[in-house]
Amino acid sequence: MSDASVRDMHQAPIFVAGHRGMVGSAIVRALQAQGYRNLLTRSRGELDLTDQAAVRAFFAREKPRWVFLAAAKVGGIQANNVYRADFIVENLLIQTNVIQAAHQNHVERLMFLGSSCIYPKFAPQPIPESALLTGTLEPTNQPYAIAKIAGIEMCDAYNRQYGTDFRAAMPTNLYGPGDNFDLNNSHVIPALIRKFHDARQANAPTVTVWGTGTPRREFLHVDDMAAASLFLMELESTRWQSLGTPHVNVGYGDDVSIAKLAHQVAETVGYRGELVFDTSKPDGTPRKLMDSSLLRGLGWHPALDLQNGLQGTYAWFEHNLTQLRAV
């Protein structure tokens, strides 16, 4: 966008769907830090995004010019595998309702936020954007992945048919303030933080980690993801279109084994006991490293490395521990 256009948007209504979640709250922080003041936010109690009529009425009344679609039903391997119907249905409903209402109410730009699980289980490493729909998905989170793929296709289809400016960003594994630390439904980093914290408090001699520890994962701090989302949203339309892809990868650029990650989290938390790997539990995809060269070529780079990111996340966890204990 031109400088004049950016200044104009600083007072324009911008809807952040899912502002209470980890990603949505980080986007709100990023927007506020950059001088965007007219932010529209609604809790689920105020606006159920799975309710088509309610979403249509909200868009017709508030007329947002930009939309960040960060609302989604999310979870770790166990949650994805157990609540398969919930993950595909709820995400499809949210995406369909918001994207359709955005078109009907002439939203200027929409950013759809997906997940790296859209790619095939055995995609080439690092994974380029072109790997989408080239192979079989990881079975444990296939319903969620299919919903996110549908979201990318929706944005692209509306752009092609109606000339809208709907964009999509696919982040790698995210972590940071506002994450879900529920042991039964969380992703790997918050689950490990809570496990090691509780074990340290209880002086437990061992902590069990799911899987063999050999899979490799890439992790990006959520504040970096928010910064990248805003960076991509602010790109001039012609520059976005020149990328030649309906979605852009957002990654850190390096990965780590789950075993090394577990030891790093244990050190961050201050747990000194033994780590035991339960090889009867699923590993998921062997490796998942994103090729983020397209985004890097535009001039964006992450600011937080894993060590500093983990320290900040654990500090946030400790500060909010009383509230989290109620979860």
Side-chain angles (χ1 to χ4, degrees), residues 111-126:
M111 177 62 68
F112 171 71
L113 302 176
S115 166
S116 58
C117 71
I118 63 167
Y119 292 114
K121 181 173 183 177
F122 298 105
Q125 301 292 325

Side-chain angles (χ1 to χ4, degrees), residues 273-306:
E274 180 185 358
L275 276 64
V276 177
F277 290 87
D278 183 354
T279 58
S280 70
K281 300 297 184 181
D283 271 337
T285 305
R287 191 184 189 198
K288 196 163 61 174
L289 175 63
M290 306 276 273
D291 180 352
S292 299
S293 58
L294 191 59
L295 179 58
R296 298 294 182 96
L298 293 169
W300 183 87
H301 301 274
L304 281 167
D305 62 22
L306 185 58

Side-chain angles (χ1 to χ4, degrees), residues 95-151:
Q95 296 162 196
T96 301
N97 292 341
V98 172
I99 292 172
Q100 185 179 47
H103 162 61
Q104 291 171 336
N105 290 276
H106 310 293
V107 165
E108 294 173 20
R109 292 183 186 176
L110 177 145
M111 177 62 68
F112 171 71
L113 302 176
S115 166
S116 58
C117 71
I118 63 167
Y119 292 114
K121 181 173 183 177
F122 298 105
Q125 301 292 325
I127 309 171
E129 285 87 355
S130 59
L132 183 65
L133 297 175
T134 61
T136 303
L137 298 167
E138 160 60 37
T140 56
N141 59 18
Q142 182 169 294
Y144 177 76
I146 288 174
K148 289 300 178 181
I149 292 170

